[in-house]
Amino acid sequence: MTVFILDITSFLPNPPVGNDDMERILGMVGHTPSRTRRVILRTNGIHTRHYAIDPITLQFTHNNTDLTVAAIKGLRFPEGRSLQDVDCLCCGTATPDQLMPGHGVMVHGAAGIPPCEVISTSGICLSGIAALKYAYMNLRTGESRLAIATGSDHASSMIRGKFYDVAVLEANGDDPGKAPLPFGADFLRWMLSDGAGAILMGKEPNRRGRSLKIEWIDIVSRANELAPCMYAGAEKGPDGRLTGWREFDSIHEAVNRNIFAIKQDVRLLNEATGPALLERTLPGIVQKYGLKPDDITWFLPHYSSAYFRQETFDRFKKAGLEIPFERWFSNLSEKGNTGAASIFIMLAALFHSKKLKAGDTLLCFVPESGRFSAGFALMTVV
C-alpha cells in the first residue's frame, strides 16, 4: 500500500541565537569561559540556532513536549480531515522531559489527539526517522488511516552552564589550570540546539498541492561492531563499556561524577563515522535499491557539522552515488543541529519552498554516532 506525506512542519523556539551570544544564554560552566567554543564554531559551520530559553530572563520557555506539540499544531490537514482523525502518533527524541512515561504519551496527552496508537522510538538523531518509519509501516499494513510522526530535541536543558556546576566545582576545586569540562562534553555545548518537526501521512495524496510519496525507508545499526560514541546517563570505561547511572551507589555519586552530561568520544567519532556508516553501509543501500546519481534530484544529509560535508561527498562518490553539491539541501548553518528534529526541519523547508516539481526525488540520509546507526529514505514529489 502506498503512503504519502501530506504536510511537514517545523517549530524553532525564540529568536535565532548567533555565535557571539551562545555562552551568555547557555551560561558559563564553573564561571569559566569555554576554551574550545571558537575553535568548534569555526569548524561546524553553524551561524545561528534556537534555544527554548528566554534570551532576557534565561528561563526555559518550552519543554520537549511543548516543542513537539507546537510542530503538530502547525500541520495542515486535507479538506474534511483534522487532528481528530489521527489514529497513530509516533514520536522520536533523545531528550524526553522525564525518564517515565515515554515522550509519545506525553505529547499525546497535550496535543488534543483522540485515543490512538502511540509509539516512542529510541536512539539519538535516528529516533526521528525511526518514528517516521513506524508510522509509514503502520499505514502500509492498513493498521492506520492517518498518522503523525515527530522528531524533536531539547538539548539546551542538558548543556546549560547550571547543569554542570555542582559536579564541576566539586571535581575541579580551585584549580584554575584545569578545564571545567572534558573536551567531549564541552564540544557538544556548541553543536546542539532545540527544535521539533512533525510529518502528517496518509494513504492518498493531497487533492490540491504537493505530496511526497514514500518509496522506502531503511535503517541500519552497526552497534555490533563499535563501542558507544555519544551517551548520557552513563560513564564510559577504558574497555568501551558504559556503566549506567543506576549502577552507582547513589544518585548523589552519579551527579557528582557528571554522569548525566551528554558526552562524545570525539576520537571514535572521527575514526569510525566514515568507515562504519558510509564505507560499510552505503554500498549495500545503493545496491539494494539500485540507486544512481541521476535519479536523485535532491540530497538531504543530516550531518552534525560542516566538518563532515566533504567526507560525506567523497564516500558517496566512492559508493557510486556522486551527487553534486548544487543538489544538496541543508539548513544546518541557520537552524543548527537539532538532533532527531534535523531531518524534519530540512524536509519542511524544502517541502514548502518553490524548489520542488512533480517527479523530483528526495534522498534523506541520517547518520547517528550514539552507537553508529544510519537511516536512509527515498521520496518522490507528487
Side-chain angles (χ1 to χ4, degrees):
M1 187 175 293
T2 305
V3 176
F4 297 92
I5 290 175
L6 307 177
D7 194 23
I8 314 172
T9 59
S10 64
F11 179 77
L12 293 155
N14 302 316
V17 176
N19 290 350
D20 293 337
D21 213 22
M22 294 177 71
E23 198 160 34
R24 181 188 71 81
I25 291 177
L26 292 177
M28 292 185 290
V29 176
H31 311 293
T32 305
S34 170
R35 300 177 183 178
T36 61
R37 179 177 67 89
R38 294 188 184 278
V39 175
I40 293 166
L41 289 170
R42 279 200 302 267
T43 304
N44 69 20
I46 302 172
H47 303 300
T48 57
R49 76 285 294 148
H50 294 255
Y51 296 127
I53 300 172
D54 187 290
I56 305 301
T57 66
L58 304 184
Q59 299 301 306
F60 285 123
T61 57
H62 306 76
N63 62 19
N64 196 330
T65 299
D66 296 332
L67 296 175
T68 311
V69 171
I72 290 173
K73 295 291 188 181
L75 288 168
R76 296 179 301 180
F77 285 76
E79 187 175 349
R81 310 295 290 274
S82 72
L83 204 61
Q84 302 303 303
D85 298 304
V86 172
D87 52 9
C88 180
L89 173 66
C90 305
C91 300
T93 189
T95 53
D97 297 318
Q98 63 289 308
L99 295 176
M100 304 176 194
H103 179 60
V105 292
M106 298 302 292
V107 173
H108 182 219
I113 301 172
C116 69
E117 181 175 5
V118 177
I119 295 295
S120 300
T121 55
S122 60
I124 304 179
C125 299
L126 209 63
S127 61
I129 199 168
L132 180 65
K133 181 164 185 177
Y134 188 95
Y136 162 68
M137 292 190 299
N138 227 26
L139 286 160
R140 283 202 68 182
T141 59
E143 292 290 323
S144 298
R145 296 166 297 171
L146 200 63
I148 292 175
T150 70
S152 64
D153 266 313
H154 192 268
S156 65
S157 60
M158 299 180 73
I159 57 175
R160 287 200 305 171
K162 293 179 180 179
F163 189 81
Y164 306 93
D165 276 355
V166 172
V168 165
L169 294 176
E170 287 196 17
N172 293 350
D174 297 320
D175 183 358
K178 190 173 183 181
L181 283 180
F183 180 76
D186 196 40
F187 166 79
L188 291 170
R189 296 191 74 212
W190 319 116
M191 298 287 288
L192 305 175
S193 53
D194 303 339
I199 293 180
L200 176 66
M201 288 173 282
K203 298 178 182 180
E204 297 178 355
N206 289 313
R207 294 177 183 176
R208 291 182 293 180
R210 67 171 58 110
S211 308
L212 296 178
K213 176 188 174 186
I214 300 179
E215 303 291 350
W216 49 262
I217 302 174
D218 207 316
I219 296 174
V220 180
S221 166
R222 306 207 82 94
N224 62 310
E225 301 172 0
L226 294 156
C229 180
M230 185 176 178
Y231 52 96
E235 186 173 75
K236 187 174 181 179
D239 61 353
R241 180 185 181 274
L242 292 186
T243 300
W245 64 274
R246 287 175 294 182
E247 296 182 60
F248 291 88
D249 289 338
S250 68
I251 191 72
H252 180 72
E253 181 189 5
V255 169
N256 284 349
R257 290 174 68 165
N258 222 6
I259 297 303
F260 294 98
I262 306 175
K263 303 181 186 74
Q264 180 111 57
D265 185 333
V266 180
R267 179 192 57 79
L268 183 59
L269 175 71
N270 289 332
E271 291 178 357
T273 300
L277 300 185
L278 292 171
E279 187 173 314
R280 297 200 296 275
T281 302
L282 183 58
I285 297 293
V286 171
Q287 182 178 14
K288 182 177 180 179
Y289 297 104
L291 294 176
K292 297 180 178 61
D294 291 344
D295 296 336
I296 308 301
T297 312
W298 292 101
F299 177 47
L300 289 78
H302 163 59
Y303 41 80
S304 60
S305 167
Y307 175 82
F308 293 108
R309 187 172 184 261
Q310 187 62 49
E311 182 179 8
T312 300
F313 175 85
D314 293 340
R315 300 276 188 176
F316 266 71
K317 179 180 178 180
K318 186 177 179 180
L321 204 60
E322 182 179 356
I323 303 171
F325 283 127
E326 57 264 27
R327 287 196 267 137
W328 288 38
F329 185 88
S330 173
N331 50 17
L332 175 72
S333 62
E334 300 88 28
K335 308 302 183 184
N337 176 10
T338 51
S342 290
I343 195 65
F344 289 71
I345 291 170
M346 276 191 280
L347 278 166
L350 184 58
F351 184 79
H352 293 289
S353 74
K354 296 180 180 180
K355 297 178 181 292
L356 298 181
K357 63 181 184 302
D360 283 355
T361 54
L362 285 61
L363 177 65
C364 303
F365 170 51
V366 183
E368 173 188 297
S369 63
R371 197 157 177 176
F372 296 100
S373 305
F376 303 83
L378 186 70
M379 305 166 187
T380 302
V381 179
V382 177

